[in-house]
Amino acid sequence: MSSTPATPAPRPRPGGRTARIRDQVLEAVRAELTEHGYDALTVDTVAARAGVHRTTVYRRWHDVGGLITDVFAAASDMEWHPRDTGSLRGDLAALNQEIQDSLLEEPSFAAALIAISFRSEAAAHALRRLWEDRYTQCEIVIQRAIERGELTPPVDARALLVAATSPIYHQLVLLRTPPDPQLPDYAAAGAALAAQSGAFTDSTDAPNTSVGNP
């Protein structure tokens, strides 16, 4: 990874009535997914829920795959930045808490997106793109730690972020065990200690995976 988060090329944003229709349709997709799941998602149900004509949806999104892809694109476009708590452990814990909260929402849109990625090739591709965007945005957490003197560069930011956040997904998505309120901080503390001991030093100096390269 580069030493500063890459700025993705801005996606064209429709305005006026087009933007309103997009918002209505995508909100309908989110509601249908969280309430009824992927199997019940159709262009017709989305159009009815959004209050727009089905031909409008077909003309712009073509099919369910197009709707799913645009939902992920809209999620990527959302303004979001990792919290700055003043420490690596605190930043990672805050990130973990956001993840845990999103997975525990009722209904959870985040959980629905993960679930449909196993059912739809379009969703799987879009989810991977979303993850890549989020990992890039989270590089600032590692950069701040380097600037504070908590970490010595170069650091494999992706490996560190995966190590810090994966216990949350493992418990809530894979094991489906009751949430542990201490886990976000516990997982963050373990990853931070490992990073400070040099566990995530990037010896390859690869520019697309490390932070803090000369």
Side-chain angles (χ1 to χ4, degrees):
M1 290 184 177
S2 58
S3 58
T4 54
T7 302
R11 297 185 179 94
R13 295 174 180 271
R17 180 173 179 274
T18 301
R20 289 194 299 274
I21 290 175
R22 184 190 187 217
D23 289 343
Q24 290 171 226
V25 169
L26 295 188
E27 182 56 38
V29 174
R30 296 184 193 102
E32 287 293 319
L33 285 174
T34 53
E35 294 176 17
H36 306 296
Y38 176 72
D39 288 336
L41 186 69
T42 68
V43 169
D44 287 351
T45 58
V46 168
R49 185 158 195 155
V52 301
H53 200 280
R54 63 196 298 270
T55 57
T56 300
V57 180
Y58 277 111
R59 183 168 58 248
R60 175 163 182 175
W61 288 275
H62 306 298
D63 54 22
V64 167
L67 289 167
I68 294 295
T69 298
D70 203 22
V71 162
F72 280 97
S76 296
D77 286 341
M78 291 177 59
E79 187 70 18
W80 177 83
H81 301 283
R83 285 180 53 196
D84 185 354
T85 67
S87 72
L88 175 62
R89 174 176 174 172
D91 287 359
L92 293 174
L95 179 61
N96 280 346
Q97 189 64 57
E98 286 191 48
I99 294 170
Q100 180 160 285
D101 290 346
S102 71
L103 291 172
L104 292 176
E105 288 177 340
E106 289 292 346
S108 171
F109 181 56
L113 292 183
I114 293 172
I116 65 173
S117 71
F118 291 95
R119 305 289 306 281
S120 161
E121 184 176 347
H125 178 78
L127 183 60
R128 182 177 180 84
R129 179 179 177 181
L130 177 59
W131 286 153
E132 292 291 344
D133 286 348
R134 287 293 183 261
Y135 277 123
T136 298
Q137 289 173 302
C138 287
E139 286 181 22
I140 190 62
V141 169
I142 314 307
Q143 187 62 45
R144 288 195 298 243
I146 291 173
E147 292 170 355
R148 288 190 294 258
E150 294 179 274
L151 298 177
T152 301
V155 179
D156 188 335
R158 175 66 60 86
L160 173 49
L161 291 166
V162 168
T165 59
S166 58
I168 307 298
Y169 292 105
H170 191 86
Q171 178 177 0
L172 298 179
V173 178
L174 299 182
L175 295 180
R176 296 182 179 272
T177 54
D180 178 356
Q182 305 303 318
L183 183 58
D185 181 63
Y186 180 80
L193 286 173
Q196 288 160 354
S197 70
F200 302 106
T201 298
D202 187 357
S203 59
T204 65
D205 214 28
N208 65 328
T209 60
S210 61
V211 166
N213 288 315

